[in-house]
């Protein structure tokens, strides 16, 4: 049902997350405005009747009662921390200030579980919103997201625009899990027991609606599905439904570091910078060996959010046609 005739303003409309959220809200019958940088393609949204604007137009269209969802940001871990902080923190702050100025009802910042870092804690503890972050130097994305959370929280004013920070896991759904070609490539894994904190895009979209329409929802919330499988369990499901042809090659930790040594050698031979290679490698190592589990009780108990899309069902429905072929496998 429509969200009380309120209007949604969603940034990053040209990307996967922002675009899918615009479509989900539009399917509900809500009024949606997608926001993207000039020159970015949003034809798929406009073709369905969703209004799309550039960031320059925001001051002239924002109004009291709007719900602002900031999805856009810089991803990955390659580059410069200052650039990540400028985009993921500075940009968010300017949009939050603009929302406060125009009396926007609720500002939802899409952060990430990466804001706590991917380094394993003692005893593989279950993490909730009160857990302390543990970042390594190379986790540029996670560190910039945490800075954005802290800066936004410090700028929130009582009885003004309500601030909600969502930390989703790895978002999937409504796009192919793998192409017909990639499923014939043998994947390489470092740690079969690493946890994969998945959240289906529809479950995530429902969480956005729940917190936006619940007046007491504010602060930080994890958004992760009930199923947080190990990589072994996840790959087993993908093989069952034909989404992966071969069992993964487990290279282990020694193999991981050998690959990174080779990458460093290649970069050196090609004259490319290796200044932050060690930090980047350790950040990747933490990601590839993470065994963290996220508790979503805060979101569930306050808003009654319940993930409806289940991993097994989604993978089964994504199963490719039996006769699907790949150019790379033809002789």
């Amino acid at each position: 049902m429509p969200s009380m005739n309120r209007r949604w303003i969603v940034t990053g409309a040209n990307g996967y997350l922002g675009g899918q959220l615009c479509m989900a809200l539009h399917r509900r019958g809500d009024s949606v405005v997608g926001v993207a940088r000039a020159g970015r393609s949003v034809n798929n949204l406009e073709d369905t009747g969703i209004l799309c604007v550039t960031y320059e137009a925001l001051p002239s269209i924002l109004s009291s009662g709007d719900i602002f969802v900031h999805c856009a940001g810089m991803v990955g871990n390659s580059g410069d921390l200052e650039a990540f902080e400028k985009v993921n923190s500075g940009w968010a702050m300017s949009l939050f200030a603009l929302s406060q100025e125009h009396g926007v009802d609720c500002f939802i910042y899409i952060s990430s579980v990466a804001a706590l870092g991917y380094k394993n804690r003692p005893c593989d503890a279950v993490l909730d919103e009160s857990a302390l972050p543990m970042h390594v130097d190379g986790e540029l994305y996670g560190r910039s997201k945490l800075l954005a959370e802290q800066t936004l929280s410090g700028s929130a004013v009582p009885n003004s625009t309500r601030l909600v920070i969502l930390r989703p896991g790895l978002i999937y759904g409504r796009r192919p899990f793998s192409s017909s070609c990639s499923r014939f490539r043998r994947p390489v894994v470092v740690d079969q027991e690493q946890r994969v904190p998945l959240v289906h895009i529809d479950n995530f979209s429902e969480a956005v609606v729940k917190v936006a329409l619940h007046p007491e929802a504010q602060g930080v919330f994890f958004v992760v599905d009930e199923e947080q499988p190990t990589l072994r369990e996840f790959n087993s499901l993908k093989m069952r439904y034909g989404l992966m042809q071969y069992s993964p090659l487990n290279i282990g930790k020694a193999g991981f570091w050998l690959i990174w040594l080779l990458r460093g050698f290649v970069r050196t031979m090609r004259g490319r910078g290796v200044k932050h290679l060690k930090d980047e490698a350790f950040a990747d190592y933490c990601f590839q060996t993470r065994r963290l589990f996220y508790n979503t009780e805060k979101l569930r108990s306050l808003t009654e959010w319940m993930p409806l899309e289940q991993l097994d069902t989604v993978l089964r429905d994504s199963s490719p046609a039996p006769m699907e072929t790949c150019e790379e496998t033809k002789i």
Side-chain angles (χ1 to χ4, degrees), residues 27 62 85 93 108 110 123 147 156 167 203 225 266 299:
R27 286 192 295 267
L62 285 179
E85 292 179 343
M93 269 303 305
I108 303 176
I110 308 305
C123 303
L147 176 62
R167 290 175 175 170
N203 296 337
D225 287 348
V266 170
L299 177 64

Side-chain angles (χ1 to χ4, degrees), residues 33-267:
V33 178
V35 187
R37 285 186 289 176
R40 302 289 180 167
S41 175
V42 288
N43 294 338
N44 60 322
L45 300 182
E46 293 178 327
D47 289 346
T48 64
I50 296 175
L51 173 65
C52 293
V53 302
T54 63
Y55 289 91
E56 290 74 16
L58 283 176
S60 64
I61 69 167
L62 285 179
S63 62
S64 176
D66 284 345
I67 301 171
F68 197 113
V69 188
H70 184 38
C71 299
M74 187 174 181
V75 299
N77 274 319
S78 296
D80 182 82
L81 179 59
E82 184 177 346
F84 275 86
E85 292 179 343
K86 180 180 180 180
V87 174
N88 291 341
S89 180
W91 194 9
M93 269 303 305
S94 63
L95 292 174
F96 184 45
L98 185 66
S99 298
Q100 291 175 311
E101 180 183 340
H102 287 80
V104 167
D105 181 68
C106 180
F107 185 94
I108 303 176
Y109 178 66
I110 308 305
S111 183
S112 168
V113 295
L116 282 187
Y118 286 121
K119 188 175 181 181
N120 288 324
R121 274 62 168 177
C123 303
D124 302 336
V126 175
L127 304 181
D128 62 18
E129 289 79 1
S130 65
L132 296 177
M134 292 180 62
H135 288 113
V136 300
D137 288 342
E139 290 181 303
L140 308 182
Y141 174 70
R143 291 168 64 189
S144 65
K145 283 293 188 179
L146 179 64
L147 176 62
E149 292 184 7
Q150 295 170 337
T151 308
L152 288 168
S153 298
S155 300
V157 178
N159 302 318
S160 181
T161 298
R162 178 165 53 95
L163 173 66
V164 179
I165 297 170
L166 296 184
R167 290 175 175 170
L170 306 177
I171 301 175
Y172 77 102
R174 294 192 176 272
R175 62 178 175 179
F177 247 98
S178 60
S179 69
S180 59
C181 293
S182 64
R183 69 189 179 100
F184 286 99
R185 300 190 184 114
R186 189 173 188 181
V188 174
V189 300
V190 177
D191 182 3
Q192 292 271 31
E193 301 308 315
Q194 68 170 275
R195 287 282 175 184
V196 187
L198 297 168
V199 56
H200 191 275
I201 184 63
D202 289 351
N203 296 337
F204 173 76
S205 299
E206 183 63 18
V208 171
V209 173
K210 289 283 190 182
V211 296
L213 301 183
H214 198 298
E216 295 182 10
Q218 55 185 332
V220 181
F221 297 87
F222 280 125
V223 189
V224 185
D225 287 348
E226 291 179 348
E227 305 136 301
Q228 298 179 45
T230 64
L231 191 58
R232 185 190 304 278
E233 295 166 339
F234 186 38
N235 286 334
S236 177
L237 283 174
K238 289 198 288 186
M239 291 193 67
R240 178 189 304 174
Y241 295 118
L243 295 167
M244 190 167 69
Q245 186 71 13
Y246 304 109
S247 298
L249 176 63
N250 191 357
I251 62 172
K253 299 173 182 178
F256 171 88
W257 288 111
L258 177 60
I259 288 174
W260 271 97
L261 284 172
L262 290 174
R263 287 181 182 176
F265 175 76
V266 170
R267 287 191 187 184

